[in-house]
Amino acid sequence: MSVTIKSAREIELMRAAGKILAKVHQNLGHEIKPGMSTWDINRLGDEMIRDYGCIPNFLNYNGYPASVCVSVNEEVVHGIPNKKHILKEGDIVSLDMGLIYKGYHSDAARTHGVGAVSEEAANLMKRTRQSFFEGIRYAKEGNRLSSISGAIEDYAESFGYGVVYDLVGHGIGTHLHEEPEVPNFRTGRRGIRLKSGMTLAIEPMINAGTPDVVWMDDEWTVVSRDGSLSAHYENTILITEGEPEILTLTEEEAAAMENGEW
């Protein structure tokens, strides 16, 4: 397994890529409202990424036809934007996207409520986000990768949720997907030891019901097998000699954490 260790210069470029993506996520999240189509979201996201002089790295990646994966309700990931898919009050929508800045990738996902959502949906989104933070408590030099995976799984399953087994996080850098794979669950393997300079995309995908998923006929959209709601929260992080650095945290999220709102 070849896991890249980023140089100081590369880390600065990764930080810049992450900071731009965080701004896009924050701004795009504010645009979500009932009555807009999932294609509208993709169009806006694409424009925002390009306005920063960056390239949307999902567009045409392995044939994916859009710049933003827009997944609604039971759709876990890789939802294809569609002009006919209109968001309605009470939906939840996951936005997964990334960009390339001077040859370096960033990748992040957020799940948003569309207007007022149910308590079930609100809790799922909040707990999926928190499962990420439970995991990165262990994202420290010298720890095993499996410690991150196990912490995510334990937290999510404590609420009776299903942790998706068919999809995982990944390393990231000059390529969108690099080694290592980063599961959100225990695999029976201890995994690599983390080293300062590694950059990882950690992305819990959590279903309110079964962990089982199916692929739709478009060969991209992944849905929960039982039709239960699904949420997705992802950040690109940097392993350091101390605490991990979240490269794609939005300003609003950072403020919420600083104020103890999370």
Side-chain angles (χ1 to χ4, degrees):
M1 178 184 296
S2 178
V3 179
T4 61
I5 303 298
K6 308 303 188 295
S7 68
R9 175 184 171 276
E10 289 178 306
I11 288 170
E12 285 307 309
L13 292 169
M14 293 286 293
R15 283 193 180 111
K19 186 175 182 179
I20 293 168
L21 183 58
K23 290 178 179 178
V24 173
H25 259 294
Q26 182 167 295
N27 294 337
L28 188 56
H30 289 166
E31 297 292 333
I32 293 173
K33 59 184 179 295
M36 72 187 308
S37 72
T38 57
W39 181 255
D40 292 331
I41 294 173
N42 173 72
R43 176 181 53 80
L44 287 169
D46 183 274
E47 289 174 358
M48 291 176 183
I49 289 170
R50 294 181 191 280
D51 283 347
Y52 281 106
C54 298
I55 300 168
N57 53 9
F58 284 16
L59 182 60
N60 299 320
Y61 184 78
N62 290 335
Y64 184 75
S67 297
V68 184
C69 296
V70 187
S71 307
V72 183
N73 294 333
E74 75 280 4
E75 296 174 350
V76 180
V77 288
H78 305 159
I80 297 177
N82 189 314
K83 293 178 180 178
K84 295 180 180 179
H85 195 163
I86 306 301
L87 299 180
K88 62 182 185 300
E89 185 91 10
D91 285 341
I92 64 172
V93 56
S94 297
L95 310 182
D96 187 6
M97 59 182 163
L99 57 81
I100 307 170
Y101 172 78
K102 295 185 178 180
Y104 286 81
H105 292 254
S106 55
D107 186 6
R110 301 290 187 272
T111 303
H112 301 275
V114 182
V117 301
S118 67
E119 183 179 4
E120 176 195 15
N123 283 336
L124 177 64
M125 291 188 292
K126 179 178 68 176
R127 291 164 178 169
T128 298
R129 181 184 68 205
Q130 185 58 35
S131 71
F132 165 88
F133 287 99
E134 294 296 322
I136 68 163
R137 293 175 191 267
Y138 299 93
K140 298 179 181 179
E141 186 171 48
N143 283 352
R144 294 280 185 180
L145 185 66
S146 57
S147 297
I148 300 174
S149 305
I152 292 171
E153 180 179 47
D154 288 348
Y155 182 80
E157 289 189 345
S158 73
F159 299 100
Y161 295 149
V163 180
V164 174
Y165 298 122
D166 291 55
L167 300 150
V168 297
H170 50 92
I172 186 170
T174 55
H175 296 84
L176 176 57
H177 290 105
E178 298 183 354
E179 295 289 348
E181 289 191 343
V182 186
N184 300 304
F185 49 87
R186 291 183 177 84
T187 64
R189 299 188 300 274
R190 297 177 69 191
I192 62 169
R193 286 200 183 275
L194 301 174
K195 295 181 180 179
S196 178
M198 289 181 177
T199 44
L200 307 173
I202 298 176
E203 50 178 319
M205 290 157 275
I206 310 297
N207 295 343
T210 179
D212 297 332
V213 298
V214 294
W215 269 254
M216 302 301 286
D217 290 343
D218 63 21
E219 299 183 348
W220 279 105
T221 307
V222 181
V223 301
S224 60
R225 182 177 290 276
D226 61 0
S228 61
L229 293 176
S230 186
H232 187 194
Y233 186 86
E234 175 188 18
N235 281 302
T236 299
I237 73 163
L238 168 69
I239 305 299
T240 74
E241 294 178 354
E243 295 298 319
E245 182 179 341
I246 305 174
L247 303 182
T248 49
L249 198 68
T250 71
E251 292 179 355
E252 290 175 350
E253 289 173 324
M257 293 173 66
E258 188 172 335
N259 295 334
E261 298 172 18
W262 290 4

